[in-house]
């Protein structure tokens, strides 16, 4: 019979935070470690960028691996993260999956974006032998010209940089990771249209304007996400779609099974269960007014 799991003590929680991996709790079977270890060379660079081991980096490895969005298995070239926070997932994906040619991360909160920019500079400095180049654009710069502006460290630490780019390689083989400060509603349509994989890591708080924001988000996703792209979301897109009522656009997103034990995050060491979807424009809409599935 399954062994009953005693409550986690403060010591258990503290150990989980300093352990090399992370603890995922399986109440049905007792103590269970379910993780995908991050490659040491990636973990070492992230340690420098964030001044200490990130407990949830193995959770990100699992989320982007075969039991999640399967970045390598799907041959993904472009990853888009909406609600990128301090840039941990974007930078880890860029380091860990060389098949990704482009990583674009967008964050609304300036303090989090500034932390991401600082981590990016540390990562550039730790790369050695000119492995990475770092560029930035200020709020009044043309975003398309970001690669033409070399980053001054003062602009990063003062929080002035609206966009930061970490690049590796040159010419046709160049790869880039863009971290941007901006409103998701103003996201360029091309970013969605090019993305093979999308991370939707935002939860809109209750209050005036929430329904309108959800409508804008769903319309943008429905109109511009490319056929075949995969998406992992904090919230259930189908639930959001249903709440929109008869004005909702047809939903091209179909359920994608992700690991049921969840993925460790910075705010949930026991694992958060993301909602997975695949955009399939050749199938009938998964949700449409009068035909909710």
């Amino acid at each position: 019979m399954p062994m009953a799991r005693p409550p986690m003590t403060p010591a258990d929680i503290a150990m989980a935070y300093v352990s090399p991996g992370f603890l995922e709790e399986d109440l049905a079977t007792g103590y269970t470690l379910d993780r995908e270890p991050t490659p040491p060379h990636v973990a070492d660079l992230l340690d420098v960028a964030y001044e200490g081991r990130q407990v949830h980096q193995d959770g990100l490895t699992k989320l982007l691996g075969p039991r999640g969005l399967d970045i390598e298995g799907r041959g993904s070239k472009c990853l888009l993260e909406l609600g990128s926070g301090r840039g941990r997932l974007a930078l880890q994906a860029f380091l860990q999956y060389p098949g990704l040619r482009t990583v674009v991360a967008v964050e609304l909160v300036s303090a989090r974006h500034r932390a991401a920019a600082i981590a990016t500079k540390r990562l550039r400095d730790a790369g050695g032998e000119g492995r990475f180049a770092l560029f930035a654009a200020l709020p009044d710069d043309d975003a398309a010209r970001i690669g033409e502006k070399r980053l001054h460290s003062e602009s990063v630490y003062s929080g002035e940089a609206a966009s930061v780019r970490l690049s590796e390689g040159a010419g046709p083989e160049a790869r880039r990771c863009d971290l941007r400060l901006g409103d998701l509603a103003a996201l360029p349509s091309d970013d969605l249209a090019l993305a093979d994989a999308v991370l939707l890591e935002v939860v809109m708080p209750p209050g005036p304007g929430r329904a309108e924001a959800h409508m804008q988000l769903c319309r943008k996703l429905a109109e511009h996400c490319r056929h075949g792209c995969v998406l992992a979301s904090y919230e259930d897109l189908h639930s959001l779609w249903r709440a929109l009522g008869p004005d909702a656009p047809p939903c091209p997103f179909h359920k994608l099974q992700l690991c049921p034990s969840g993925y460790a995050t910075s705010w949930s060491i026991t694992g958060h269960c993301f909602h997975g979807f695949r955009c399939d424009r050749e199938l009938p809409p998964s949700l449409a007014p009068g035909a909710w599935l």
Side-chain angles (χ1 to χ4, degrees):
M1 293 184 63
M3 178 181 64
R5 193 196 195 293
M8 292 183 72
T9 67
D12 291 332
I13 296 173
M15 286 301 296
Y17 272 107
V18 299
S19 63
F22 61 86
L23 180 64
E24 287 192 349
E25 201 174 3
D26 187 336
L27 297 179
T29 59
Y31 291 92
T32 301
L33 283 174
D34 182 7
R35 61 177 184 165
E36 298 290 343
T38 302
H41 70 282
V42 174
D44 289 346
L45 285 173
L46 292 172
D47 284 349
V48 174
Y50 290 98
E51 298 185 316
R53 179 170 290 279
Q54 302 300 300
V55 173
H56 63 295
Q57 64 191 16
D58 291 350
L60 300 183
T61 294
K62 184 178 167 187
L63 176 60
L64 299 176
R67 290 192 290 166
L69 296 182
D70 196 11
I71 296 295
E72 283 187 323
R74 296 180 187 277
S76 298
K77 302 296 183 186
C78 180
L79 173 69
L80 174 63
E81 184 184 15
L82 304 178
S84 54
R86 294 167 176 81
R88 294 181 180 95
L89 185 145
L91 291 177
Q92 180 170 338
F94 184 69
L95 292 172
Q96 192 164 336
Y97 298 99
L100 286 172
R101 312 310 300 171
T102 304
V103 177
V104 176
V106 183
E107 174 56 42
L108 177 64
V109 180
S110 59
R112 293 174 184 167
H113 174 72
R114 179 173 177 269
I118 292 171
T120 305
K121 181 179 182 298
R122 292 197 194 106
L123 185 57
R124 189 280 306 270
D125 294 344
E129 299 183 0
R131 176 181 175 183
F132 301 116
L134 193 58
F135 306 93
L138 298 180
D140 57 350
D141 288 334
D142 181 353
R145 295 171 61 84
I146 181 175
E148 301 175 17
K149 286 186 169 291
R150 282 213 171 266
L151 178 65
H152 298 289
S153 60
E154 292 80 9
S155 69
V156 173
Y157 282 92
S158 67
E160 294 177 1
S163 298
V164 176
R165 170 174 293 177
L166 186 73
S167 66
E168 181 179 32
E173 300 303 315
R175 304 172 60 234
R176 63 182 174 88
C177 178
D178 288 355
L179 295 102
R180 304 177 188 163
L181 176 66
D183 186 347
L184 303 186
L187 180 74
S189 301
D190 287 350
D191 288 335
L192 280 172
L194 293 173
D196 303 298
V198 180
L199 277 297
L200 187 57
E201 298 173 302
V202 293
V203 177
M204 298 177 187
R210 187 179 191 224
E212 180 181 354
H214 280 161
M215 179 67 81
Q216 291 179 358
L217 173 65
C218 291
R219 283 179 173 166
K220 186 178 285 284
L221 293 174
E223 184 175 354
H224 298 294
C225 279
R226 69 183 301 174
H227 171 71
C229 80
V230 291
L231 187 149
S233 174
Y234 280 171
E235 295 191 281
D236 183 359
L237 283 185
H238 285 177
S239 295
L240 296 184
W241 234 274
R242 289 188 184 95
L244 298 178
D247 293 330
C251 179
F253 298 100
H254 298 260
K255 286 286 189 178
L256 175 69
Q257 182 63 48
L258 300 180
C259 182
S261 62
Y263 308 87
T265 67
S266 58
W267 40 268
S268 176
I269 60 171
T270 57
H272 176 75
C273 292
F274 284 76
H275 298 274
F277 299 90
R278 182 177 183 273
C279 181
D280 193 327
R281 300 186 181 279
E282 297 177 354
L283 293 176
S286 58
L287 294 174
W292 304 127
L293 301 181

